[in-house]
Amino acid sequence: GTAVVMIGDEVMDSIPPLPAGTFFGEQAMISHSSTASASIVARTTMAVVRFPHAEFLKVRDQFPDVFAEFNKVLDARYQSLTDVDPQKLFETNTFASCTAEFRTHLIRLLEKKVLPPGEVLMQQGEIGFDLFFVARGTLEIQISGNRVNTISSGNVVGEMAALGVNPYRNATCVALTVCVVFKLTQDQLGHTLKKFPDQKSIFAWRCRSKNEDQLLQHVAQAPAFTD
């Protein structure tokens, strides 16, 4: 049979469909983790053979030279999973109206961060000053330890802290899959919005989209929005 690799709702076009004779689940196997880094979705009827973790370790120790080559394959696959063009961040409805000059300026500032499944991006109640553009993967949003939502590529988290409205994180964000995010610091955001004041409305729209209209007057007075 044939299967495709998905992270969240995104089919990984950078990884060809998996045909008969290939393997998957190796990232969790190598890292001794029960959490898969991606989803494997059958496109046709499939028959698979399970390779138990204990047996995998025995074979790995018995044939170290073979597994040296195997690790190269794993590295190439992981690179494909985490290789994201930051230009794609601006293909979403939220930022589609950004000017080309604004996009180019932001992309030069962004810092890429890769999260394995289970890693916490931000913790509720902690102080933070950065916002994160989600470029790939799915994050779980928790409040007081309870799951309230999930977000995927095209979303932004941490903007209230970065805008200077509230320095404390309102929720915890945990990676459910391998996630790729791009960080923008509060200082970088403030300087950017001062340089491109006509783009401030994008972040005001983010407040409205989160039903946070009551915060708009505070946003207007936040450090990132004032001269």
Side-chain angles (χ1 to χ4, degrees), residues 6 10 35 44-45 59 69 73 86-87 123 125 134 136 141 204 226:
M6 298 184 66
E10 180 185 1
T35 304
T44 65
T45 300
V59 174
E69 295 302 314
V73 175
Q87 288 280 1
Q123 187 76 43
V134 183
R136 175 164 293 160
I141 308 302
T226 55

Side-chain angles (χ1 to χ4, degrees), residues 42-103:
R43 286 296 187 238
T44 65
T45 300
M46 295 182 64
V48 299
V49 178
R50 187 174 71 91
F51 193 2
H53 185 241
E55 297 303 317
F56 174 86
L57 294 179
K58 290 178 183 178
V59 174
R60 184 194 64 181
D61 295 340
Q62 188 174 355
F63 300 98
D65 293 341
V66 173
F67 273 82
E69 295 302 314
F70 180 71
N71 284 332
K72 293 180 182 179
V73 175
L74 301 190
D75 290 341
R77 280 194 177 182
Y78 192 76
Q79 182 63 35
S80 296
L81 290 176
T82 58
D83 188 15
V84 179
D85 181 358
Q87 288 280 1
K88 292 184 177 294
L89 296 172
F90 302 101
E91 295 176 358
T92 64
N93 291 334
T94 304
F95 298 101
S97 61
C98 293
T99 65
E101 188 179 5
F102 180 72
R103 296 182 189 187

Side-chain angles (χ1 to χ4, degrees), residues 79 181 199:
Q79 182 63 35
V181 300
Q199 302 296 295

Side-chain angles (χ1 to χ4, degrees), residues 142-185:
Q142 302 173 354
I143 295 180
S144 300
N146 299 313
R147 175 176 177 169
V148 296
N149 198 7
T150 59
I151 59 172
S152 55
S153 56
N155 279 276
V156 179
V157 292
E159 67 273 24
M160 290 297 101
L163 289 170
V165 176
N166 180 8
Y168 296 97
R169 299 300 191 190
N170 294 320
T172 297
C173 299
V174 184
L176 293 180
T177 67
V178 168
C179 291
V180 180
V181 300
F182 287 89
K183 183 180 80 171
L184 187 70
T185 68

